[in-house]
Amino acid sequence: MLTASPRTDIDLYTEAAIRSPYENYRLLRDLGPAVWLERNDVWAVARYRDVHAALQDPETFSSASGVALNDQTNERMRATTVSTDPPEHEQFRTLINRPLTPKALRAHQELFHRRADELVEKLLGAGTFDVVTDFAQVLPLSVVSDLLGWPVEGRSEFLSWSCAIFNLSGPMNERSIADLPALKAMQEYTREVIDSGRLRPGSCGADLLAAAEAERIDKNQIPSLIGAYLAPSIDTTVAMLSSALWLLGRDPSLWQAIRRDHSLIPNALNEVMRYESPVRGYTRLVTREYELDGTTLPAGSRVFLLLGAANRDERRWAEPDVFDIRRPDAKHHIAFGHGIHSCIGQGLVRLEGTALFTALAKRVRRIEVGEPTWGVNNVVRSLASLPVALHN
């Protein structure tokens, strides 16, 4: 069956392919609706229509056996919001979701805007700074730590843990193997924090502990649940904020448009998510034989749903390789996924982004950016560094 179907020896996990993914994505889309990746032993689905449809069909494209491209991580991350199907999925999502509902997030708006104003004020007097460490990481780290109820002394490891979780969601290559100790350390430290009673009352972490004490979940599941919450809440937000400042800084006309009309900010952030999708994709297990425009996906096979490729699909988007903050359908990107597994923290990401870019639009006349350096991670597409100076 494989010999009669599109196949390629493209390796999506080389350093070059990670830093510059879009030509490979185009090749995969052109080869067919589903393409067998010989180097990675997985079907790649790269066209928007097909990825979107798969995300809406969790019965056929199941998450219950994990969404990583290796068995070790899928076993470690069992029974989390990302690695379950209904009805178990709804149970975990409800537990995690309480502090992330629109009503709950509205209560934080004033705080987020105040922190954003303070950060922009600081950066205006800083001269040249790095977009990742000095801008994009600041708000997500403090916000996620507070929502989790995490003790102050344990927050310094969040970035390395989050990076490890995403690396380990790809194949078990050198990057994944190197990050196994970080994942183990996260799980061990989380158990210690839980057992010592150091989670802030009323926090998301405390809610999970209460659910375990009420025997609604197994206490041993809490480290993996926190990991599944932590990684997308930090790394994807950092990736989006970094890319946004780079994209708006490299085209002064776009930044001037936003300065004149702050209502453009939400759509501009959607376009950032479409144009530079922070997560390249996750896998699913096909539960039944599935026909995809002439290509048969066998029951029991694993498929890689390429969100980043779908968001640049010329079959769906007009001029997909153009960054357009006024794109009328930018909100239809699937960078946050879609369906029951859509990113639970997307409201938080939008709130943080809106606060920061509103603060910038009020104070910053010009964004000066240098040359970007892209990071190398199995799953996350994010800048590693970019020199920036703000001018008022």
Side-chain angles (χ1 to χ4, degrees):
M1 183 174 294
L2 297 181
T3 57
S5 303
R7 58 194 299 145
T8 180
D9 64 354
I10 289 173
D11 185 355
L12 295 178
Y13 293 96
T14 66
E15 184 171 324
I18 289 172
R19 292 187 188 275
S20 300
Y22 295 111
E23 181 58 30
N24 281 335
Y25 290 168
R26 182 179 294 105
L27 289 171
L28 290 174
R29 291 193 301 266
D30 289 345
L31 279 170
V35 181
W36 182 251
L37 300 183
E38 296 172 344
R39 301 284 188 93
N40 307 121
D41 291 330
V42 68
W43 291 96
V45 178
R47 296 176 182 174
Y48 180 94
R49 184 186 68 176
D50 302 322
V51 175
H52 189 272
L55 292 170
Q56 292 186 100
D57 185 3
E59 290 187 4
T60 303
F61 295 91
S62 171
S63 301
S65 63
V67 298
L69 198 50
N70 70 85
D71 294 336
Q72 296 96 315
T73 300
N74 286 333
E75 181 61 29
R76 283 175 176 267
M77 299 299 288
R78 287 183 61 196
T80 66
T81 50
V82 297
S83 299
T84 47
D85 290 332
E88 191 179 18
H89 173 74
E90 283 81 359
Q91 177 192 9
F92 291 137
R93 193 173 178 100
T94 299
L95 286 171
I96 294 288
N97 193 50
R98 187 187 62 81
L100 299 172
T101 63
K103 180 179 179 181
L105 289 175
R106 280 195 296 272
H108 298 289
Q109 277 185 320
E110 184 178 342
L111 173 62
F112 287 6
H113 281 276
R114 184 170 71 250
R115 288 183 177 179
D117 287 337
E118 292 169 353
L119 178 59
V120 170
E121 181 68 23
K122 176 183 177 181
L123 294 176
L124 275 167
T128 300
F129 60 90
D130 182 72
V131 74
V132 179
T133 56
D134 301 320
F135 172 72
Q137 291 178 355
V138 177
L139 195 57
L141 273 175
S142 63
V143 166
V144 173
S145 302
D146 289 346
L147 290 175
L148 275 174
W150 212 254
V152 173
E153 65 271 14
R155 300 181 180 191
S156 61
E157 301 298 324
F158 275 8
L159 288 168
S160 63
W161 292 345
S162 181
C163 177
I165 289 168
F166 276 120
N167 261 333
L168 282 155
S169 295
M172 191 53 68
N173 56 15
E174 291 181 0
R175 293 179 207 101
S176 299
I177 293 169
D179 273 338
L180 278 170
L183 181 62
K184 181 180 179 182
M186 185 207 79
Q187 293 179 324
E188 290 176 349
Y189 187 78
T190 301
R191 291 189 184 96
E192 191 274 323
V193 168
I194 293 166
D195 292 340
S196 64
R198 289 188 288 152
L199 291 167
R200 178 177 54 79
S203 65
C204 173
D207 284 353
L208 290 173
L209 181 57
E213 291 172 345
E215 298 184 348
R216 287 187 287 152
I217 62 171
D218 185 334
K219 189 176 181 180
N220 292 324
Q221 294 173 320
I222 296 179
S224 292
L225 283 166
I226 286 179
Y229 170 88
L230 179 69
S233 296
I234 293 183
D235 267 29
T236 56
T237 310
V238 171
M240 184 274 285
L241 294 174
S242 303
S243 292
L245 203 59
W246 169 58
L247 291 166
L248 293 170
R250 73 177 189 174
D251 189 336
S253 67
L254 299 181
W255 183 241
Q256 293 311 311
I258 286 177
R259 290 187 66 216
R260 291 190 299 269
D261 183 1
H262 295 186
S263 70
L264 289 172
I265 291 173
N267 200 65
L269 295 178
N270 276 326
E271 178 67 348
V272 172
M273 297 294 290
R274 183 200 70 82
Y275 188 81
E276 288 292 357
S277 302
V279 174
R280 67 194 316 190
Y282 288 114
T283 73
R284 298 289 193 271
L285 191 73
V286 182
T287 60
R288 63 180 178 85
E289 188 176 279
Y290 187 85
E291 192 77 18
L292 193 58
D293 286 346
T295 298
T296 300
L297 301 177
S301 61
R302 191 162 285 275
V303 298
F304 187 11
L305 303 179
L306 281 162
L307 308 178
N311 282 330
R312 291 282 194 108
D313 186 1
E314 48 283 304
R315 297 159 188 79
R316 170 61 181 82
W317 311 96
E319 297 184 291
D321 296 326
V322 174
F323 178 70
D324 179 5
I325 64 171
R326 294 185 175 86
R327 185 179 294 274
D329 53 354
K331 66 181 179 181
H332 296 301
H333 70 80
I334 50 175
F336 289 125
H338 185 68
I340 65 168
H341 283 285
S342 61
C343 178
I344 199 169
Q346 61 182 284
L348 179 62
V349 175
R350 296 181 195 279
L351 184 56
E352 291 173 284
T354 299
L356 281 168
F357 281 89
T358 299
L360 287 164
K362 290 189 298 185
R363 297 289 310 278
V364 174
R365 173 177 53 85
R366 181 167 65 90
I367 302 168
E368 180 184 354
V369 298
E371 287 299 313
T373 299
W374 289 96
V376 180
N377 185 281
N378 284 334
V379 173
V380 175
R381 174 162 174 78
S382 181
L383 288 166
S385 64
L386 173 76
V388 178
L390 303 179
H391 304 275
N392 58 3

